[in-house]
Amino acid sequence: MSPKNDSPGEYKGIWVYVEQKHGAPARVSLELLGKAHSLAQMLMVEVTAMLMGEGLANQGEELIYYGADRVIIADDPIFKDYRTEVYSAVIVSQVLRKKPEILLVGATCTGRDLYPRVAARLRTGCIADCTELGVDQEMRLMIASKPYFGRNVMADIICPLHKPQIATIRPGVFELPIQNRTRKGEIICAEEHVKEEDVKVKVLDTVSLHVNGAHLEQAKKIVAGGMGVGKAEGFTLLKELADLLGAELGSTSLPVDVGWVSPERKIGQTGKTVSPQLYVACGISGAIQHFAGMKNSEFILAINKDPKAEIFNFADYAIVDDLYKVVPVLIQELTKSQAK
Amino acid sequence: MEIVVCIKQVPETTNINWDPRTGTLIREGVPGILNPNDKNVLETALQLKEKHGGSITALSMGPAQAEEALREALSMGIDKAILLSDRRFAGADTLATAYALSLALKKIPKVDLIVCGEESADGMTGQVGPQVAEFFDIPQLTYATEIEIHGHTIRIKQKLEDCHRILESSLPALITVERGCNIPRIPSMEQIMEAYRDKEVLLWGTGDLEGNSEHFGLIGSPTQCRRVYIYKAERRRVQRLEGKTDEVARKLIQLWQQNNLI
Ligand SMILES: Cc1cc2nc3c(=O)[nH]c(=O)nc-3n(C[C@H](O)[C@H](O)[C@H](O)COP(=O)(O)OP(=O)(O)OC[C@H]3O[C@@H](n4cnc5c(N)ncnc54)[C@H](O)[C@@H]3O)c2cc1C
Ligand SMILES: Nc1ncnc2c1ncn2[C@@H]1O[C@H](COP(=O)(O)O)[C@@H](O)[C@H]1O
């Protein structure tokens, strides 16, 4: 393991790893391109998008519109399915050749599978599951922040002596940038060859799943419940409210852990990051790990019977009362007003 | 078949303190439990051994009290246990942790399969498994919900966000198993007594591993905690809605209508 890079100063520029599915870039990768673009301006460097897969010939332009100055495309049938072995070989080879100082990755299943391994091979750090990103301009350091252990604690994590500084970032943390179709950039084909005979892992089958609540990230309205809901049936009541509002159902982590709600509905640091126009929080205390996932909501209504609950510090409207008293009446009044 | 499981003791989440200087968790003296996901790790390994024979070694890095997690593993039926414990391992990030674990693994002859959890309840990075695989230079098969072994081939069902995949690899390999992918067995009182009375937990320090001591623990960790702080949410001007519940509800509906939310 090399404790430090010999000449970290040689490392320059910000890379975004662009995850794709059937050729279409993942939303989180585009969010990261937008963020990379603003960080790059502070460091006065360029943004490079790194894209791998099969049949990607026309994908480069779009990434430039979203903020990349340069796109490196590794396009080959062998890259069709995501495989750790193949992808890590290509990325490590490109990084060693082109030496970026910062590498940003969506904290998706495959992003979290791939980049710890890439980091280990490069003997650098990988900061997992960040919810905020900044740079120290003077030190040229990336500052990646995330909720820490405990209720309202954040930590700033840095990787001061090793390059590239790698971070995985939760989907939905940053806004989707607006495309700028006048942007110009360079598209480069990565000359990387991997032979199938050398690859130990084969993908024998892929079965798409229908995922419930998968659209939370895009939802305009969310009704979410926490431990204060107290039982699985309580979520049926919240679902009724959600349906009336045309909202999705969400949850904190604990109701998921005890099995009242399916894991796809978890919101927070270790769940989804959402940014609806309306967020109705029922029986939620407002721990930072949950807040991290919903703080960009526009209109937050909190229903909690504890007047000192943390959530009242960042809600727009507060109802200090038992949710089992409030929600049924709200359902009733909504039904009435809709009948009119 | 020789299986090694990596398991971790995690603090009970209610009782947490960190070193204000380094930002690392203070683990000593804080009551710990076996990482819940790692119970699935143990159950996976035990089921594979029941089918294919061989033996299972449990490996953990942590302070002396992490021995409790290994005793729990022994009581469930794991054959051998090794605890990596040394002041110089303390403060390790995932890279330094994986480095130390992989050096210990290299001392265990003919490992066919390494099983890790997908994620720990404290670190929650899910990085240690893939990084051990890298240092041990073997394929990694992550997010496994079902595992089958035929001869020298392993096949897993992998759960990603929106699909399942069937992956196949030659052995040796490392797998990480999903939380809740099986129901971990509960040891009997007898087995727990036995684990404490008749079984041994080997204690290895940095001197027992053939590695570069600069790469252990805090000094071997590329990532550092620069600052730990209480997060102050940007306060919003919260408006309390008070009165009779039906009045409150109507007020709210009116507000939503004014804001074009409904
Ligand atoms: C590493 C780590 C990662 C985590 N990631 C996440 C994450 O991604 N998402 C997440 O949500 N959490 C996460 N957590 C957990 C988080 O710290 C909190 O424990 C959790 O968010 C609290 O959930 P809660 O508000 O539902 O429950 P509680 O904190 O138990 O709060 C329940 C609230 O309901 C109120 N209440 C009770 N009964 C009623 C009633 N009848 N009517 C009205 N109000 C009532 C109570 O006053 C209380 O405020 C994480 C924790 C750790 C350590
Ligand atoms: N200190 C450790 N000792 C042994 N195994 C560990 C340790 N830390 C992490 N692991 C393994 O790596 C998995 C993922 O942990 P983490 O990367 O911390 O989320 C755990 O479920 C364990 O299997």
Side-chain angles (χ1 to χ4, degrees):
Chain A
M1 195 170 359
S2 84
K4 300 170 190 79
N5 299 109
D6 294 333
S7 42
E10 259 180 56
Y11 285 73
K12 226 179 166 94
I14 304 180
W15 280 22
V16 173
Y17 168 73
V18 178
E19 181 176 329
Q20 53 82 22
K21 190 126 230 176
H22 310 300
R27 187 184 158 104
V28 62
S29 307
L30 303 177
E31 293 164 2
L32 291 180
L33 276 175
K35 184 68 185 178
H37 182 68
S38 67
L39 295 180
Q41 285 177 330
M42 294 168 73
L43 292 174
M44 295 194 290
V45 292
E46 293 189 325
V47 175
T48 302
M50 167 85 214
L51 179 64
M52 286 186 72
E54 182 193 27
L56 301 172
N58 302 320
Q59 295 302 321
E61 302 279 282
E62 191 188 358
L63 301 179
I64 292 168
Y65 300 156
Y66 276 110
D69 300 298
R70 188 178 304 106
V71 183
I72 300 175
I73 303 182
D75 189 344
D76 192 287
I78 200 169
F79 306 144
K80 175 172 167 279
D81 288 313
Y82 166 75
R83 282 182 293 177
T84 321
E85 229 176 329
V86 182
Y87 274 53
S88 62
V90 170
I91 290 157
V92 167
S93 151
Q94 288 291 317
V95 166
L96 286 176
R97 223 170 306 162
K98 311 216 168 87
K99 297 190 168 42
E101 62 197 302
I102 291 173
L103 212 171
L104 306 179
V105 184
T108 59
C109 288
T110 55
R112 297 175 91 232
D113 170 277
L114 178 57
Y115 278 84
R117 186 145 193 168
V118 165
R121 199 167 315 157
L122 294 165
R123 307 295 195 258
T124 186
C126 182
I127 306 168
D129 299 334
C130 306
T131 59
E132 275 176 46
L133 274 184
V135 289
D136 179 326
Q137 271 170 293
E138 230 166 273
M139 311 262 295
R140 295 192 76 81
L141 263 187
M142 172 176 76
I143 300 167
S145 312
K146 58 179 182 175
Y148 208 46
F149 320 94
R151 284 188 76 80
N152 295 298
V153 183
M154 288 282 285
D156 290 348
I157 317 277
I158 51 173
C159 177
L161 302 175
H162 299 68
K163 296 279 163 23
Q165 311 161 72
I166 305 178
T168 66
I169 295 101
R170 309 289 314 183
V173 167
F174 300 118
E175 264 174 62
L176 191 67
I178 297 162
Q179 281 194 49
N180 175 353
R181 293 191 157 267
T182 63
R183 278 179 59 83
K184 297 262 178 294
E186 184 186 9
I187 297 173
I188 303 167
C189 288
E191 295 295 324
E192 297 283 354
H193 302 287
V194 182
K195 280 191 265 148
E196 188 60 49
E197 308 90 87
D198 299 335
V199 187
K200 296 202 186 83
V201 177
K202 312 279 173 220
V203 180
L204 303 184
D205 196 12
T206 304
V207 183
S208 296
L209 292 175
H210 173 73
V211 187
N212 269 334
H215 305 303
L216 269 181
E217 282 106 329
Q218 267 83 271
K220 294 268 181 288
K221 293 173 210 164
I222 294 173
V223 174
M227 279 319 267
V229 174
K231 51 186 184 224
E233 304 82 68
F235 278 89
T236 318
L237 181 69
L238 296 192
K239 178 78 170 63
E240 209 180 309
L241 175 61
D243 287 346
L244 272 175
L245 288 168
E248 284 283 344
L249 185 68
S251 168
T252 64
S253 71
L254 302 173
V256 171
D257 292 346
V258 295
W260 299 340
V261 190
S262 67
E264 296 80 29
R265 301 207 175 266
K266 176 162 118 182
I267 294 168
Q269 184 204 0
T270 51
K272 304 245 156 95
T273 305
V274 299
S275 45
Q277 288 164 356
L278 173 63
Y279 195 90
V280 182
C282 308
I284 292 177
S285 63
I288 190 168
Q289 292 88 358
H290 184 69
F291 177 66
M294 47 71 76
K295 64 180 174 192
N296 293 331
S297 308
E298 274 170 44
F299 183 114
I300 301 172
L301 166 72
I303 307 171
N304 192 311
K305 63 182 180 188
D306 174 9
K308 290 207 242 10
E310 182 70 23
I311 189 135
F312 291 133
N313 288 333
F314 48 82
D316 301 288
Y317 290 91
I319 300 180
V320 183
D321 208 344
D322 187 336
L323 72 94
Y324 284 103
K325 216 170 110 200
V326 179
V327 175
V329 176
L330 194 50
I331 290 174
Q332 211 178 6
E333 292 296 331
L334 267 171
T335 316
K336 263 198 245 161
S337 84
Q338 285 175 358
K340 270 189 218 152
Chain B
M1 190 168 55
E2 188 64 43
I3 305 177
V4 179
V5 292
C6 295
I7 60 168
K8 181 182 191 182
Q9 193 186 46
V10 297
E12 281 211 270
T13 41
T14 43
N15 261 322
I16 279 161
N17 270 304
W18 60 88
D19 182 329
R21 203 172 37 83
T22 60
T24 54
L25 260 194
I26 297 172
R27 295 175 190 279
E28 276 154 272
V30 179
I33 50 166
L34 174 59
N35 178 32
N37 188 192
D38 294 351
K39 290 193 183 180
N40 303 121
V41 169
L42 294 165
E43 183 59 33
T44 299
L46 288 164
Q47 287 183 13
L48 288 172
K49 182 186 154 179
E50 279 159 11
K51 261 200 194 153
H52 305 283
S55 86
I56 311 171
T57 305
L59 177 63
S60 188
M61 183 176 107
Q65 74 187 51
E67 185 188 322
E68 293 160 14
L70 289 167
R71 295 278 174 201
E72 192 169 341
L74 291 171
S75 72
M76 285 171 73
I78 301 297
D79 302 290
K80 281 175 268 176
I82 302 168
L83 176 62
L84 300 184
S85 198
D86 191 318
R87 289 228 154 264
R88 276 172 293 180
F89 289 135
D93 70 358
T94 63
L95 193 77
T97 302
Y99 178 70
L101 292 174
S102 68
L103 289 176
L105 278 158
K106 283 174 188 160
K107 294 189 48 164
I108 303 169
K110 293 207 290 288
V111 176
D112 297 298
L113 181 67
I114 303 170
V115 190
C116 286
E118 185 214 320
E119 197 168 85
S120 64
D122 57 350
M124 274 202 149
T125 69
Q127 296 195 152
V128 170
Q131 296 193 319
V132 168
E134 173 61 26
F135 285 127
F136 208 62
D137 198 21
I138 52 173
Q140 76 194 44
L141 307 168
T142 51
Y143 314 111
T145 58
E146 288 167 32
I147 299 116
E148 263 176 49
I149 290 177
H150 299 282
H152 281 284
T153 310
I154 182 166
R155 212 178 255 197
I156 70 146
K157 187 169 177 185
Q158 176 184 57
K159 186 177 180 295
L160 301 179
E161 284 99 351
D162 56 355
C163 67
H164 274 139
R165 305 201 300 174
I166 307 294
L167 302 185
E168 189 179 272
S169 164
S170 56
L171 291 174
L174 178 144
I175 59 174
T176 71
V177 299
E178 278 271 307
R179 193 162 130 174
C181 68
N182 53 30
I183 299 166
R185 62 197 64 191
I186 297 166
S188 65
M189 218 40 221
E190 182 82 4
Q191 287 169 311
I192 296 172
M193 304 271 280
E194 238 177 61
Y196 276 90
R197 197 182 50 212
D198 306 333
K199 295 192 177 174
E200 194 190 0
V201 172
L202 293 178
L203 201 68
W204 289 356
T206 45
D208 296 297
L209 303 182
E210 274 149 47
N212 184 334
S213 62
E214 279 173 38
H215 301 152
F216 293 130
L218 189 65
I219 55 164
S221 299
T223 63
Q224 293 173 8
C225 194
R226 169 145 121 167
R227 196 162 69 100
V228 184
Y229 49 99
I230 304 293
Y231 189 84
K232 280 268 170 278
E234 194 184 314
R235 271 173 183 269
R236 300 196 182 196
R237 276 239 302 280
V238 60
Q239 193 176 323
R240 237 171 113 158
L241 299 172
E242 285 165 314
K244 293 234 291 285
T245 310
D246 55 340
E247 284 167 18
V248 167
R250 280 195 294 271
K251 220 185 300 174
L252 192 61
I253 291 168
Q254 208 180 14
L255 262 168
W256 284 342
Q257 282 166 340
Q258 283 164 2
N259 287 287
N260 292 318
L261 289 165
I262 51 175

